Amino acid sequence: MKTFIAFVLSLISGVVLASCPEHKFTEPHDILLNGGSVLIVTHASANFDARFSSKRGLDEATTFAKNKGIPIIYLQDDSPNRDYFMDECSPKYWAYSEGGELSFEVTPSHVYVAGGHLEKCLSVTVHDILYSWAKQPKRNLTLTYLMDGIYSNGKLVEESDGFYGDFEIFMRAVTYGRPGGEHWPKLNLLETMGVINKEEHEFEFLQKTLPHYERTLPPDYRVELQLNDSVAKVLQPGSGWHPPTLKFHFVDSALKLGDFRPSE
């Protein structure tokens, strides 16, 4: 019986840890984004998200993008290829990125992001997206975070937060018996919203995760923060009657975007 159980577990392990075939990275000058939308996936790796907390959401994100004809870019560092856990193995581009940085220009006005690490590599990615946008003509821009496909270590949760105790209980439960260190204590961003569980506090937390738009884009941009279909919160009013608008849109899952039609 023990032998049989070990055999079954080995099969399950093999399925879970199956990785995409070896591939070449695309040269930065060959990454050409001509449409209105793109999905950028940062470091979808068990080296950082050992719980696979973001895997299902990330796979839903890539399925959504494929179905809608939205190009996908995977950012991959020099950790082993076997650690990368996405099911979709034919993105538009594979781009090398050691810390989440972008080596190419982001021309689409709507960028979806998944992967992580929310507080580290993904933060670098979204800052670089804004840097790229800042060099282009002013227009309406949307950065959509697919929350169940983004992993986090919860470092932005502070002891003064009313939900801190619940967060600590959750993290102790999901890391119980795991080795210490940075690999295991991860949860996805949607799980964090579940721990917070109050919209007012969710907005406060999400605002802490945003890139420094005030340092990057001109002050005449209107900046909004929206959670799913809630009323958008204005973070910066912008200038004039119809200022260009940057929207940070946090969505539970790509599964909620089934009726979306990108404007190309």
Side-chain angles (χ1 to χ4, degrees):
M1 178 61 73
K2 290 183 179 179
T3 302
F4 174 74
I5 293 173
F7 172 70
V8 172
L9 290 176
S10 69
L11 291 179
I12 295 173
S13 177
V15 172
V16 171
L17 294 178
S19 59
C20 294
E22 291 296 328
H23 50 266
K24 293 183 179 180
F25 290 115
T26 311
E27 293 294 330
H29 58 77
D30 289 329
I31 297 178
L32 305 175
L33 302 172
N34 300 318
S37 306
V38 64
L39 167 63
I40 299 178
V41 177
T42 303
H43 296 169
S45 171
N47 190 47
F48 307 110
D49 181 14
R51 283 187 59 229
F52 289 69
S53 69
S54 62
K55 175 173 169 48
R56 177 60 188 267
L58 189 148
D59 288 337
E60 297 292 357
T62 56
T63 298
F64 161 77
K66 282 284 185 178
N67 289 343
K68 300 301 180 183
I70 298 172
I72 302 169
I73 301 177
Y74 287 156
L75 304 184
Q76 185 170 342
D77 68 352
D78 54 7
S79 60
N81 186 62
R82 66 176 182 272
D83 288 344
Y84 279 78
F85 50 61
M86 51 274 190
D87 284 348
E88 172 55 53
C89 291
S90 56
K92 181 73 172 179
Y93 302 111
W94 300 85
Y96 179 79
S97 176
E98 179 63 28
E101 71 284 351
L102 303 181
S103 58
F104 53 89
E105 291 301 316
V106 179
T107 52
S109 59
H110 192 165
V111 178
Y112 298 85
V113 293
H117 190 298
L118 175 68
E119 301 85 354
K120 296 182 179 180
C121 296
L122 183 60
S123 178
V124 174
T125 298
V126 296
H127 275 94
D128 277 7
I129 291 169
L130 262 61
Y131 290 141
S132 189
W133 278 343
K135 295 182 287 185
Q136 301 168 30
K138 297 175 184 176
R139 55 195 168 140
N140 292 336
L141 304 165
T142 302
L143 184 60
T144 298
Y145 293 73
L146 302 173
M147 294 195 292
D148 64 346
I150 294 171
Y151 57 88
S152 164
N153 62 10
K155 294 300 184 185
L156 295 176
V157 177
E158 301 173 346
E159 290 189 31
S160 58
D161 292 328
F163 52 89
Y164 180 80
D166 292 336
F167 170 78
E168 283 287 284
I169 292 171
F170 182 93
M171 290 298 278
R172 284 200 301 269
V174 299
T175 59
Y176 181 79
R178 303 293 191 183
E182 175 63 17
H183 298 289
W184 288 102
K186 300 291 167 56
L187 71 171
N188 65 53
L189 187 52
L190 182 58
E191 291 172 333
T192 305
M193 294 298 99
V195 172
I196 297 173
N197 202 30
K198 289 186 178 180
E199 187 173 281
E200 177 185 356
H201 295 156
E202 289 173 346
F203 270 98
E204 292 173 357
F205 177 80
L206 292 176
Q207 195 166 343
K208 292 193 291 185
T209 72
L210 299 179
H212 295 292
Y213 57 85
E214 71 283 357
R215 303 179 189 173
T216 310
L217 293 177
D220 53 347
Y221 263 91
R222 177 183 175 90
V223 180
E224 298 177 350
L225 171 61
Q226 185 178 17
L227 176 59
N228 293 312
D229 297 325
S230 66
V231 176
K233 180 179 181 180
V234 178
L235 306 180
Q236 180 174 288
S239 304
W241 289 103
H242 298 288
T245 299
L246 167 65
K247 177 182 288 187
F248 296 107
H249 190 196
F250 288 81
V251 179
D252 288 349
S253 171
L255 287 171
K256 287 200 168 186
L257 300 174
D259 295 328
F260 175 77
R261 294 293 186 274
S263 56
E264 301 292 343

